[in-house]
């Protein structure tokens, strides 16, 4: 689904386990390419001690591409890469990373626009194809490695191990924070807050830390690609920044594992099922927006009377779409009432859409009712 450049240098960022290395091996595994795996102790040790070794290897060999896994482990290599891009226009550098935080905070050379940046996420429903099963994705998520496990216990064990690996590899080894215990407790709270408007003061009280620490923790999740903010809608950028965003974890399965619910089946009629469905739809929207490079602006909207709609989608052409997400196999006019109310008071032309699991696409009143796959296809294909 992610289309990578075949000749221009680029960064490929994504959380661990999203398949960065597998994808690159499928596309670029050839004899005249140099592979450097900084997750390997030997490679990390060699290049940490002597970053100029990369220059020597390039001088001695005719490489077409140089692929470096987990570049944040040896950020000094980026200075070498910058120089080599200037000298050798024919070499393509492909750099993967699971954490942009160390690069940003360390003032690393991000190649000053000489390399594209691509994201990689867990699998979309399109990538899963005929193996896509909505109930399974809501319960376990769509990390690629999960597909090789068959039983609920195995899948749950994988997700729990994933969380522990994240804490060890991303947080402890990279020395992102010094005190791991409050952050570990924060991870569980972040799952409880998933899809809700962030209240940093309340989370800080629950954790026994200060407000800024909580803000930093959420930023860590974003920088390590384990979550993203959904901003509050406002046409004024300044006012938009003054309203609290929502926060979503990057995968439904990881979210449920943090809640210690990965082995518990989701009941179709439950509130939890509806919340997980909304989470999944918003993940698909963000992933496809990034992959298809549509540049949609995506936000949520809550008015002063606490009436809320799930999404406001603005296109580069200035079109505005108000969206409600409902898990329902048969939608009703009643479910679109909030959208109709907002549309009545909207200060410019907009369309209103209700996305659901109802296979029948139709218009009821002012609201277009779409099956969620149809809605996403209309936006991106």
């Amino acid at each position: 689904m992610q289309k990578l450049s075949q000749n221009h240098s680029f960064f490929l960022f994504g959380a661990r386990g999203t398949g960065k290395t597998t994808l690159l091996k499928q596309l670029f595994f050839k004899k005249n390419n140099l592979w450097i795996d900084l997750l390997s102790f030997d490679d990390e040790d060699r290049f940490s001690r002597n970053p100029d070794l990369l220059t020597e290897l390039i001088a001695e060999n005719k490489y077409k591409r140089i692929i470096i896994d987990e570049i944040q482990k040896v950020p000094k290599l980026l200075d070498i890469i910058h120089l080599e891009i200037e000298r050798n226009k024919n070499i393509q550098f492909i750099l993967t990373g699971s954490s942009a935080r160390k690069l940003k905070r360390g003032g690393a050379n991000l190649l000053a626009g000489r390399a594209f940046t691509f994201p990689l996420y867990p699998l979309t429903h399109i990538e899963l194809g005929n193996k896509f099963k909505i109930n399974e994705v809501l319960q376990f998520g769509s990390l690629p490695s999960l597909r090789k496990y068959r039983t609920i216990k195995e899948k749950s064990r994988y997700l729990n191990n994933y969380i522990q690996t994240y804490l060890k590899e991303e947080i402890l080894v990279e020395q992102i924070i010094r005190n791991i215990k409050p952050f570990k407790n924060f991870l569980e709270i972040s799952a409880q807050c998933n899809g809700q408007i962030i209240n940093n003061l309340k989370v800080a009280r629950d954790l026994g830390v200060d407000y800024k620490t909580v803000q930093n923790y959420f930023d860590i999740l974003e920088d390590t690609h384990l979550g993203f903010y959904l901003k509050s809608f406002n046409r004024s950028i300044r006012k938009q920044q003054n309203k609290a965003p929502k926060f979503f974890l990057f995968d439904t399965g990881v979210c449920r594992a943090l809640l210690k619910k990965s082995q518990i089946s989701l009941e179709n009629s439950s509130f939890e099922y509806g919340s997980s469905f909304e989470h999944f739809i918003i993940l698909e929207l963000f992933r496809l927006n990034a992959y298809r490079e549509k540049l949609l602006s995506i936000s949520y909207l809550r008015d002063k009377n606490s009436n809320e709609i799930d999404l406001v989608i603005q296109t580069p052409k200035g079109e505005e779409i108000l969206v409600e997400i409902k898990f329902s196999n048969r939608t009703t006019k009643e479910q679109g009432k909030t959208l109709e109310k907002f549309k009545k008071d909207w200060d410019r032309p907009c369309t209103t859409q209700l996305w659901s699991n109802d296979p029948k696409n139709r218009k009821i009143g002012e609201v277009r009712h779409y099956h969620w796959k149809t809605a996403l296809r209309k936006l991106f294909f």
Side-chain angles (χ1 to χ4, degrees):
M1 191 65 197
Q2 177 59 282
K3 294 182 180 179
L4 303 174
S5 175
Q6 294 291 315
N7 44 50
H8 196 82
S9 295
F10 64 83
F11 291 96
L12 180 63
F13 284 121
R16 288 178 188 263
T18 48
K20 299 185 295 295
T21 303
T22 301
L23 176 61
L24 294 180
K25 284 183 176 178
Q26 289 173 352
L27 296 174
F28 302 113
F29 196 74
K30 295 178 181 178
K31 288 182 180 179
N32 60 340
N33 293 342
L34 172 64
W35 285 78
I36 299 171
D37 180 8
L38 296 178
L39 284 177
S40 154
F41 174 80
D42 289 341
D43 278 358
E44 183 186 3
D45 185 58
R46 279 196 307 153
F47 288 98
S48 293
R49 290 172 181 272
N50 181 19
D52 290 324
L53 175 60
L54 181 59
T55 303
E56 296 170 19
L57 289 170
I58 291 170
E60 294 168 2
N61 301 274
K62 293 183 178 180
Y63 294 119
K64 183 179 180 181
R65 293 186 181 92
I66 297 175
I67 299 100
I68 305 179
D69 246 341
E70 301 300 334
I71 186 64
Q72 79 275 357
K73 289 191 165 293
V74 189
K76 288 182 180 179
L77 283 175
L78 287 165
D79 291 328
I80 307 295
I81 292 166
H82 191 155
L83 289 172
E84 292 299 334
I85 287 175
E86 294 298 308
R87 291 174 186 164
N88 301 282
K89 302 295 184 183
N90 295 324
I91 297 181
Q92 182 186 21
F93 287 89
I94 299 173
L95 315 167
T96 81
S98 54
S99 172
R101 190 176 184 85
K102 188 172 181 180
L103 298 177
K104 289 178 185 175
R105 295 297 172 91
N109 182 342
L110 294 177
L111 307 184
R114 289 167 177 80
F116 296 147
T117 298
F118 296 105
L120 195 65
Y121 305 108
L123 298 169
T124 66
H125 74 283
I126 296 169
E127 291 167 305
L128 285 167
N130 59 14
K131 294 182 180 179
F132 172 78
K133 295 177 182 177
I134 184 70
N135 285 1
E136 187 167 319
V137 170
L138 295 188
Q139 182 164 350
F140 301 112
S142 58
L143 285 164
S145 294
L146 196 72
R147 296 171 64 192
K148 63 187 175 186
Y149 300 106
R150 294 287 175 263
T151 68
I152 290 174
K153 184 169 282 189
E154 286 176 332
K155 291 175 181 179
S156 178
R157 186 179 294 131
Y158 169 79
L159 289 169
N160 290 328
N161 286 343
Y162 183 94
I163 293 165
Q164 294 306 315
T165 300
Y166 167 74
L167 286 169
K168 179 182 177 183
E169 299 295 334
E170 299 291 0
I171 304 303
L172 287 178
V173 175
E174 300 295 345
Q175 297 179 339
I176 290 175
I177 58 174
R178 295 179 181 177
N179 190 351
I180 196 69
K181 187 174 180 180
F183 184 78
K184 188 174 183 180
N185 293 337
F186 164 77
L187 278 178
E188 295 181 16
I189 291 175
S190 73
Q192 295 167 14
C193 298
N194 184 75
Q196 298 178 21
I197 297 171
I198 295 173
N199 186 335
N200 285 333
L201 285 174
K202 183 179 182 304
V203 176
R205 285 196 299 268
D206 291 344
L207 284 175
V209 297
D210 62 52
Y211 172 93
K212 288 187 177 180
T213 297
V214 171
Q215 205 166 28
N216 182 47
Y217 285 173
F218 276 113
D219 288 345
I220 287 171
L221 292 184
E222 183 184 42
D223 288 343
T224 54
H225 308 283
L226 257 75
F228 59 88
Y229 294 103
L230 178 66
K231 62 181 183 270
S232 170
F233 173 78
N234 196 301
R235 289 200 176 86
S236 163
I237 293 175
R238 179 182 58 80
K239 289 182 179 178
Q240 195 173 68
Q241 291 172 339
N242 288 336
K243 291 190 176 182
K246 292 184 177 182
F247 194 86
F248 288 87
L249 290 166
F250 83 124
D251 181 74
T252 54
V254 170
C255 182
R256 297 197 79 238
L258 285 167
L259 293 170
K260 298 179 172 58
K261 291 185 176 181
S262 55
Q263 292 194 46
I264 302 172
S265 297
L266 281 166
E267 299 296 329
N268 281 26
S269 58
S270 67
F271 173 81
E272 187 181 1
Y273 193 98
S275 296
S276 191
F277 179 73
E278 180 182 329
H279 184 192
F280 161 72
I281 296 297
I282 290 173
L283 290 176
E284 291 290 286
L285 178 62
F286 267 78
R287 292 168 187 173
L288 290 173
N289 190 34
Y291 289 164
R292 302 289 293 178
E293 300 184 69
K294 290 292 186 178
L295 304 178
L296 302 178
S297 175
I298 304 168
S299 54
Y300 79 94
L301 177 59
R302 175 179 285 189
D303 68 15
K304 61 184 179 182
N305 297 317
S306 296
N307 297 308
E308 185 175 316
I309 53 176
D310 297 321
L311 296 168
V312 178
I313 301 172
Q314 297 167 287
T315 73
K317 293 180 179 179
E319 300 165 315
E320 294 182 343
I321 307 168
L322 314 185
V323 177
E324 274 281 271
I325 302 167
K326 302 285 186 186
F327 181 79
S328 177
N329 292 321
R330 178 68 181 175
T331 58
T332 64
K333 180 176 176 61
E334 184 69 24
Q335 291 173 317
K337 276 193 171 180
T338 302
L339 285 169
E340 289 188 330
K341 181 181 183 303
F342 272 97
K343 184 172 184 177
K344 183 180 178 182
D345 298 329
W346 209 251
D347 62 354
R348 63 180 68 182
C350 69
T351 58
T352 49
Q353 298 180 4
L354 193 150
W355 299 358
S356 73
N357 207 43
D358 186 340
K360 189 175 181 181
N361 301 311
R362 61 198 185 281
K363 188 175 182 181
I364 304 178
E366 293 294 315
V367 180
R368 294 193 176 276
H369 292 231
Y370 290 126
H371 187 276
W372 61 270
K373 286 185 181 179
T374 302
L376 291 173
R377 188 166 61 249
K378 282 180 172 293
L379 276 174
F380 296 112
F381 298 97

